[in-house]
Amino acid sequence: MNTTFSVIMPVFNSEPYLKEALDSIIRQTLSFKDHIELILINDGSEDDSEALCLQYKQNYPENIKYKRIENSGPAVARNTGLDLVSPSSHYITFLDADDKLEANALEAASAFFSVHPSVKIAAIPIYYFEEKTGSHNLNYRFDQGSRVIDINKEYSSPHFYIGGIFIDRSIITEKVRFNESLYFWEDALFVNKIILSEQQYGVISGTKYWYRQRISLNSLVDTAWKNKYRYTELLQTGYMELVTASLQMHGLILPYVQFLLVYHLKLLLVKKNNEMMEKTLNETEIRIFVEELKKLLVFIEDKYILEQSLLNYRKEFLLNLKHDGKFGKLEFIDKIDKEASIHITEKKLKGLHVEMKGYFTSEFYSMKESDKVYIQIGNRKMYASHRDPGKKVIIWGYLVTDYKNDGFLIQVPIWCLSFRFGLETHQGDIELKRINYIKTLYRRLFKRK
């Protein structure tokens, strides 16, 4: 058998999904019997995964290797698989036992490496299926087609996931292994140490790695948020090890590494993950986590935080952690969305007026105590009174944004059918949302007809 690809698949209690994953390899457009070696590592499964693996091995004895180990985690399972790769194999890839490969994935990878023989590591785009569907956020890297990314020129194109990665076997040595002390992010660290060494990686378009977002949400990635390891220890071992690797290889922390760390770190700022963290860690553990994060942020230039696709108040939060609260606010009054910044939450008829309650909101500006919401009727200004909407943003116990000045209450004359909201600030007046009840009434009458 002239082996071209070795596919390493750790298996742990994957019986409901395993057949689909196995078949996606066997049914590749690249001949399974002639060019593919499938290495199955049973990581101590307690279901019927072993029986299914052995059945497939019996059907394809020349192409499938199988080994059972005590439950040790994905890093140990993948390293065990690496040790079983045949010397004749050219490229190594990994597939989780609940995921699957597009039928042309290996053929597309083979074609890419034939055009780019000097490239030692490449990735294919990731797409979700089952509970969540659609394209992975990082798939923008594939918009220009198959190509080679120079991480020194395109540092804002990080890669994390082991699935859909193809690695030239010639660079896999005894030192190139998954860190078995890590229980999360071991794949990102493994992949990125190789990328740092190569300073480039390929992106292969026209195919897909299918990542199963389980309905049960019981995968290692899903449950990691409930594991204390996911927080402080990840900073100390996973993140900092990548920082150390960059320093050892290049004498500096490459922009690629800095951008990548913030890109991954921002997941912790998402509300649901923030809430999960507060349920998982106690107050002392959260405080220790924040102190460790501050140490990490010292290695990251401000620009790589500012360049992230991240809400402004979250950027402010990270930058103020880094600068001990001395960074201040990120405000861009010229970026306020004039139509979307005024929200009316309640309208009530009171005599000859309509009482409106609402709030001002913008990612780029928070109202000051001296700011005033008003409505403009012709040349006349009518000011709203302040009211606290009770909205706050708290991250890891820190009050990040308090919207106490953003609420308003205003009395609008009942005869006024058209007016514009505005905001009076120390930088001048800003015209905001226009209200036109004449148009609203016309549309309603038109719809009835």
Side-chain angles (χ1 to χ4, degrees):
M1 182 181 67
N2 180 20
T3 303
T4 303
F5 287 90
S6 293
V7 182
I8 297 173
M9 184 187 298
V11 179
F12 177 69
N13 292 345
S14 305
E15 182 193 356
Y17 322 105
L18 185 54
K19 186 178 187 302
E20 192 172 10
L22 294 170
D23 286 345
S24 78
I25 300 300
I26 292 167
R27 296 171 183 172
Q28 286 289 302
T29 55
L30 192 70
S31 171
F32 178 68
K33 288 189 175 182
D34 295 334
H35 297 288
I36 302 171
E37 169 181 74
L38 179 55
I39 302 172
L40 304 175
I41 307 299
N42 184 350
D43 190 22
S45 296
E46 298 173 343
D47 62 3
D48 287 335
S49 294
E50 180 168 53
L52 193 56
C53 288
L54 292 174
Q55 177 188 328
Y56 273 77
K57 176 171 172 52
Q58 184 177 4
N59 294 339
Y60 303 95
E62 299 299 318
N63 297 82
I64 295 180
K65 294 179 180 179
Y66 174 79
K67 185 172 184 177
R68 181 184 177 93
I69 61 175
E70 291 185 11
N71 182 237
S72 307
V76 174
R78 291 183 184 125
N79 283 340
T80 302
L82 287 173
D83 292 336
L84 295 175
V85 170
S86 296
S88 58
S89 179
H90 298 129
Y91 298 99
I92 299 169
T93 189
F94 300 85
L95 177 67
D96 283 354
D98 53 353
D99 297 340
K100 58 186 179 181
L101 283 180
E102 188 78 358
N104 71 334
L106 299 187
E107 186 176 12
S110 181
F112 175 85
F113 286 117
S114 68
V115 175
H116 303 282
S118 64
V119 175
K120 304 301 182 184
I121 182 169
I124 62 175
I126 296 173
Y127 286 81
Y128 298 101
F129 72 109
E130 198 172 280
E131 174 66 11
K132 176 182 178 181
T133 60
S135 175
H136 190 282
N137 288 339
L138 286 171
N139 283 353
Y140 62 79
R141 296 170 296 164
F142 301 87
D143 290 346
Q144 300 173 45
S146 297
R147 62 195 179 96
V148 180
I149 290 178
D150 180 336
I151 64 169
N152 295 309
K153 296 178 180 177
E154 196 175 327
Y155 62 79
S156 59
S157 290
H159 189 86
F160 297 95
Y161 190 52
I162 192 66
I165 275 286
F166 296 89
I167 305 169
D168 190 317
R169 188 188 62 81
S170 66
I171 66 170
I172 300 297
T173 66
E174 291 182 0
K175 293 182 179 180
V176 181
R177 286 292 187 270
F178 292 87
N179 186 332
E180 296 181 2
S181 69
L182 300 182
Y183 296 95
F184 182 82
W185 220 63
E186 80 293 334
D187 56 343
L189 188 58
F190 175 84
V191 167
N192 279 293
K193 280 186 173 181
I194 295 174
I195 290 175
L196 284 184
S197 176
E198 296 295 316
Q199 299 188 66
Q200 64 176 10
Y201 70 97
V203 288
I204 306 169
S205 63
T207 189
K208 296 175 182 177
Y209 182 98
W210 290 99
Y211 180 98
R212 187 188 301 270
Q213 184 71 59
R214 296 185 188 179
I215 293 173
S216 58
L217 296 179
N218 64 349
S219 70
L220 287 175
V221 174
D222 296 320
T223 57
W225 295 102
K226 301 176 183 178
N227 190 325
K228 290 181 185 290
Y229 169 82
R230 175 65 178 81
Y231 304 99
T232 301
E233 196 170 346
L234 175 61
L235 295 181
Q236 295 171 329
T237 55
Y239 288 3
M240 287 304 296
E241 187 170 338
L242 193 59
V243 167
T244 301
S246 182
L247 287 169
Q248 290 175 342
M249 292 182 198
H250 305 290
L252 75 162
I253 305 168
L254 295 182
Y256 173 84
V257 172
Q258 296 184 52
F259 188 93
L260 177 150
L261 291 177
V262 182
Y263 188 98
H264 196 264
L265 177 66
K266 69 184 183 183
L267 293 173
L268 286 164
L269 302 174
V270 176
K271 184 179 179 182
K272 67 175 183 176
N273 298 335
N274 176 24
E275 291 172 350
M276 182 57 69
M277 176 182 176
E278 292 178 346
K279 291 177 182 178
T280 304
L281 305 183
N282 60 39
E283 289 185 11
T284 301
E285 289 168 333
I286 291 175
R287 187 169 64 252
I288 292 170
F289 167 81
V290 172
E291 290 305 313
E292 290 301 311
L293 176 58
K294 288 179 180 178
K295 294 177 185 177
L296 176 71
L297 291 174
V298 169
F299 294 102
I300 297 172
E301 295 178 40
D302 291 358
K303 66 172 291 186
Y304 303 114
I305 297 174
L306 292 168
E307 289 176 0
Q308 298 289 330
S309 175
L310 196 60
L311 292 173
N312 251 25
Y313 70 79
R314 290 173 178 163
K315 294 179 185 179
E316 290 174 358
F317 176 61
L318 290 177
L319 289 164
N320 277 300
L321 279 183
K322 177 185 174 182
H323 295 284
D324 294 322
K326 298 175 182 177
F327 182 83
K329 301 286 287 183
L330 282 171
E331 292 193 330
F332 305 94
I333 202 164
D334 57 316
K335 292 186 178 181
I336 293 174
D337 187 328
K338 297 180 179 180
E339 292 300 315
S341 57
I342 291 290
H343 288 260
I344 308 297
T345 57
E346 186 180 332
K347 288 186 284 191
K348 188 185 299 182
L349 186 63
K350 282 200 170 184
L352 297 177
H353 293 83
V354 176
E355 183 180 86
M356 292 186 178
K357 293 181 181 178
Y359 59 91
F360 167 86
T361 180
S362 173
E363 134 176 40
F364 300 105
Y365 187 78
S366 295
M367 283 182 61
K368 313 298 182 292
E369 191 173 355
S370 59
D371 292 345
K372 296 177 181 178
V373 171
Y374 64 87
I375 61 171
Q376 184 88 36
I377 307 172
N379 294 323
R380 181 186 174 196
K381 270 186 182 179
M382 294 182 63
Y383 289 97
S385 57
H386 276 295
R387 56 183 291 275
D388 186 347
K391 292 180 61 182
K392 293 179 173 64
V393 175
I394 297 174
I395 300 177
W396 310 333
Y398 289 80
L399 177 62
V400 176
T401 302
D402 190 341
Y403 296 98
K404 63 182 180 181
N405 297 315
D406 293 17
F408 62 84
L409 182 151
I410 192 163
Q411 304 277 346
V412 182
I414 198 170
W415 50 263
C416 184
L417 296 176
S418 179
F419 58 90
R420 181 185 288 279
F421 276 94
L423 181 64
E424 188 175 277
T425 76
H426 71 284
Q427 298 183 52
D429 287 6
I430 306 167
E431 291 186 344
L432 300 176
K433 185 175 185 175
R434 176 174 289 281
I435 304 293
N436 191 330
Y437 288 117
I438 298 174
K439 287 185 178 180
T440 302
L441 181 61
Y442 177 80
R443 282 197 298 266
R444 287 179 180 175
L445 289 172
F446 184 78
K447 282 184 179 180
R448 286 178 183 175
K449 292 179 180 181

